[in-house]
Amino acid sequence: MACTCSHNLRISGGTGLLGALQKGGDLFGHLHRAVGKAMRQEVQPMREAVRRHVGSELKVVRHSFLHAFRVKVLDQDPTRLPRMWIGSRIPWSGVHETGVTIGGKMLIPLHGRLGKKRFKAFVDELMRGGNAYFIKKGGKVILMAENLKEYDRPLAGFKRRYRKAEGIKRLKRGADIPIAILVRQVTLRKRLNVEGVVRQRIAALERAIQRFL
């Protein structure tokens, strides 16, 4: 995910720019250095603002998710003014900025989170052992598993979260445990506004550039 929005910066001539003009110096080079210095100075405040926003809008379980949001200054090209890159190393995090609808049959775990690979391996294990079956309830297709002793370990997390959600103290042997729901489409609403956070920091960036001119 990267912030691909563009914003125009208002820059007026400072004393340094005026001095470079009077001396016949490299105006663009002076501007390039000033913009680069200002952007590098604003990297940390921008990064903290973005991470603070993400942390307040999403239920973040792992801090590594927040730390994946980064801010970099791209100023290696001397023929172009520096740019600020704002994004995340996690590609799918961008769906929270725009919202998205995903089509196709999918199994969504119930009562808790589970990584894609781990959940797939878990379902495969149940299927191979013949302890996974679908039922239709209230118009919904639900993947179930039976509370068998030989599956105590793999089902432990699901049983614990199911009991907590339903207020059940103890599950009987042979009881049905809902594992996941089968859906044909998932819509994730827009939950982040990183572009708005960036827009709010533009004035501070403009002031920083003016100081370096």
Side-chain angles (χ1 to χ4, degrees), residues 73-139:
V73 176
L74 308 177
D75 63 346
Q76 300 302 311
D77 188 348
T79 65
R80 298 181 63 183
L81 285 177
R83 293 159 292 153
M84 184 175 280
W85 179 92
I86 302 157
S88 171
R89 292 180 300 165
I90 303 174
W92 53 262
S93 61
V95 302
H96 294 300
E97 177 76 11
T98 60
V100 68
T101 296
I102 306 171
K105 291 183 178 181
M106 289 169 281
L107 276 174
I108 309 298
L110 296 170
H111 309 302
R113 298 182 179 185
L114 203 63
K116 179 181 177 182
K117 291 182 180 179
R118 185 179 171 191
F119 181 62
K120 184 179 183 301
F122 169 73
V123 172
D124 286 344
E125 181 181 353
L126 292 179
M127 290 287 188
R128 285 195 302 269
N131 192 25
Y133 47 94
F134 289 95
I135 66 168
K136 196 167 185 179
K137 185 177 181 180

Side-chain angles (χ1 to χ4, degrees), residues 4-212:
T4 57
C5 54
S6 61
H7 296 279
N8 294 321
L9 299 176
R10 295 185 297 273
I11 303 173
S12 58
T15 56
L17 197 61
L18 182 60
L21 178 62
Q22 291 173 340
K23 295 178 182 179
D26 181 7
L27 291 179
F28 185 81
H30 182 79
L31 182 60
H32 189 283
R33 288 189 292 274
V35 172
K37 288 178 181 179
M39 284 188 169
R40 284 190 290 274
Q41 178 179 286
E42 287 299 306
V43 162
Q44 183 175 347
M46 183 73 78
R47 182 176 61 235
E48 291 177 352
V50 169
R51 289 178 178 177
R52 192 161 51 244
H53 169 70
V54 174
S56 67
E57 297 299 320
L58 301 179
K59 185 178 180 181
V60 179
V61 177
R62 296 182 180 179
H63 289 295
S64 58
F65 179 78
L66 284 181
H67 288 298
F69 284 84
R70 298 186 173 188
V71 179
K72 296 190 296 184
V73 176
L74 308 177
D75 63 346
Q76 300 302 311
D77 188 348
T79 65
R80 298 181 63 183
L81 285 177
R83 293 159 292 153
M84 184 175 280
W85 179 92
I86 302 157
S88 171
R89 292 180 300 165
I90 303 174
W92 53 262
S93 61
V95 302
H96 294 300
E97 177 76 11
T98 60
V100 68
T101 296
I102 306 171
K105 291 183 178 181
M106 289 169 281
L107 276 174
I108 309 298
L110 296 170
H111 309 302
R113 298 182 179 185
L114 203 63
K116 179 181 177 182
K117 291 182 180 179
R118 185 179 171 191
F119 181 62
K120 184 179 183 301
F122 169 73
V123 172
D124 286 344
E125 181 181 353
L126 292 179
M127 290 287 188
R128 285 195 302 269
N131 192 25
Y133 47 94
F134 289 95
I135 66 168
K136 196 167 185 179
K137 185 177 181 180
K140 298 177 180 179
V141 179
I142 303 173
L143 176 68
M144 308 290 289
E146 193 174 351
N147 184 23
L148 301 176
K149 185 176 181 180
E150 56 266 35
Y151 287 93
D152 276 348
R153 186 173 180 180
L155 286 173
F158 281 92
K159 290 195 293 184
R160 182 177 65 254
R161 291 187 291 268
Y162 175 57
R163 289 199 310 269
K164 184 177 179 180
E166 298 296 325
I168 302 172
K169 290 185 178 180
R170 185 180 179 184
L171 284 173
K172 295 180 179 180
R173 286 296 180 195
D176 293 331
I177 305 169
I179 302 298
I181 184 170
L182 181 66
V183 299
R184 296 181 180 276
Q185 181 176 286
V186 172
T187 297
L188 300 176
R189 64 180 177 84
K190 173 182 170 67
R191 300 176 66 187
L192 296 179
N193 186 17
V194 173
E195 183 177 351
V197 174
V198 173
R199 194 180 298 114
Q200 291 174 359
R201 296 290 311 173
I202 290 299
L205 179 57
E206 289 175 342
R207 290 192 298 268
I209 292 174
Q210 292 295 151
R211 288 195 296 269
F212 284 107

